[in-house]
Amino acid sequence: MLEMDDQMKQDIELKFDKAGGLLPVIAQDHATGEVLMLAYMNHQAWQKTLETGKAHYWSRSRNKLWLKGESSGHVQVVKEIRVDCDLDTVLLKVEQLGGAACHKGYRSCFFRRVDGQGLTVDGEQVFDPKEVYGQ
Amino acid sequence: MLEMDDQMKQDIELKFDKAGGLLPVIAQDHATGEVLMLAYMNHQAWQKTLETGKAHYWSRSRNKLWLKGESSGHVQVVKEIRVDCDLDTVLLKVEQLGGAACHKGYRSCFFRRVDGQGLTVDGEQVFDPKEVYGQ
């Protein structure tokens, strides 16, 4: 996807150190603009994402490198990478394979809206988590 | 904007504690879907946002509550609030007054794309920061 030599990769000095090694990454559907999820990358996840064109994150709960979709098959194919003014947040525009980013089976992790009732689920559920991940 | 009584506000138990008191917040243009910025909220910023309908954040550099646009006038009017599956990230859909979220004068803080050249500026600059903030 992104043709980039080693020097180019080094030139983009994201501020991992300032943020304790992890930067927040927003994944957005490249076609619809829907915000799908927020996750974190360390330097290794960033490099793997650049190398493979598939979104890799650092799982804070499992404390390991995580190819998004490695269990579910719902890989995120990276179409565009953007960085913010402070070089401490990444925005990935992705094609979400399987149609759902959330481990609860919704298209987006932001499947709940805050309103006068508290939280209202209005996101679209694409799969049943039990069928994909088991019990 | 959001009609919510005190009980409702308490019922939405965002996980500030788990995240050291600060949660990441994505601000997205409610009309175009463009991701404008990522900032952080503590509990006070969350409450002020709910109460006023204007995005408030916690400034990590200045270590204070921050009404977005307090210097520039570029306030974010909150149209919708969403929370993620883990209750540790907030998505605000906003009307960005002044047309620019970034302190560098761009519509979005993500005004640079990663490509074979390294970083390429392709965002739209709406104002000159020197005119808005002075030198």
Side-chain angles (χ1 to χ4, degrees):
Chain A
M1 30 90 59
L2 291 166
E3 289 183 28
M4 196 177 299
D5 65 22
D6 289 344
Q7 187 56 47
M8 293 295 179
K9 288 176 191 167
Q10 285 170 16
D11 284 348
I12 304 166
E13 296 280 3
L14 294 179
K15 296 185 177 164
F16 289 106
D17 292 343
K18 206 172 151 190
L22 294 179
L23 296 183
V25 180
I26 303 162
Q28 181 181 30
D29 186 294
H30 80 110
T32 67
E34 186 174 15
V35 174
L36 299 174
M37 58 184 280
L38 182 132
Y40 293 84
M41 279 184 186
N42 63 359
H43 192 262
Q44 187 189 11
W46 168 251
Q47 289 292 344
K48 288 291 281 184
T49 300
L50 290 180
E51 284 165 25
T52 63
K54 296 174 183 173
H56 288 69
Y57 302 107
W58 181 260
S59 169
R60 297 179 303 167
S61 57
R62 291 176 290 156
N63 213 33
K64 67 187 278 283
L65 184 69
W66 161 41
L67 164 62
K68 167 69 183 166
E70 64 192 2
S71 304
S72 64
H74 297 171
V75 165
Q76 294 176 336
V77 179
V78 177
K79 298 292 187 177
E80 186 176 312
I81 305 178
R82 307 188 71 84
V83 295
D84 80 340
C85 46
D86 297 324
L87 286 171
D88 63 5
T89 306
V90 175
L91 173 62
L92 298 182
K93 297 199 179 186
V94 303
E95 179 188 355
Q96 176 61 65
L97 301 189
C102 184
H103 70 292
K104 294 194 173 179
Y106 291 88
R107 283 179 49 76
S108 164
C109 291
F110 297 93
F111 59 84
R112 290 173 297 182
R113 195 182 68 232
V114 176
D115 61 20
Q117 309 306 310
L119 294 178
T120 297
V121 173
D122 65 355
E124 186 189 350
Q125 197 168 27
V126 175
F127 68 83
D128 179 351
K130 286 182 194 165
E131 288 178 13
V132 171
Y133 299 105
Q135 287 292 349
Chain B
M1 31 91 57
L2 291 167
E3 290 183 25
M4 195 178 298
D5 64 22
D6 288 345
Q7 187 55 48
M8 293 295 180
K9 289 176 190 166
Q10 287 171 15
D11 283 348
I12 303 166
E13 297 279 3
L14 294 179
K15 295 185 179 164
F16 289 106
D17 291 342
K18 204 171 151 191
L22 294 179
L23 296 184
V25 180
I26 303 161
Q28 181 181 30
D29 187 294
H30 79 108
T32 67
E34 186 174 16
V35 174
L36 299 174
M37 58 186 278
L38 182 132
Y40 292 85
M41 280 185 186
N42 63 359
H43 192 260
Q44 185 189 12
W46 168 250
Q47 289 291 343
K48 287 291 279 183
T49 300
L50 290 180
E51 284 165 25
T52 64
K54 296 173 182 173
H56 287 69
Y57 302 107
W58 181 259
S59 169
R60 295 178 303 166
S61 57
R62 291 176 289 156
N63 214 32
K64 66 186 277 284
L65 184 71
W66 162 40
L67 165 62
K68 167 68 184 165
E70 63 192 2
S71 303
S72 64
H74 297 172
V75 166
Q76 293 177 335
V77 179
V78 178
K79 298 291 188 178
E80 188 175 311
I81 304 178
R82 308 188 70 85
V83 294
D84 79 341
C85 45
D86 297 324
L87 286 171
D88 62 5
T89 306
V90 175
L91 173 62
L92 298 182
K93 298 201 177 186
V94 304
E95 178 187 355
Q96 176 62 65
L97 302 189
C102 184
H103 70 292
K104 295 194 172 178
Y106 291 87
R107 283 179 49 76
S108 165
C109 291
F110 297 93
F111 59 85
R112 289 173 299 183
R113 196 183 67 232
V114 176
D115 60 21
Q117 307 306 310
L119 294 178
T120 297
V121 174
D122 64 354
E124 185 189 351
Q125 196 169 28
V126 176
F127 68 83
D128 178 352
K130 287 182 190 164
E131 288 178 11
V132 171
Y133 300 106
Q135 287 292 349

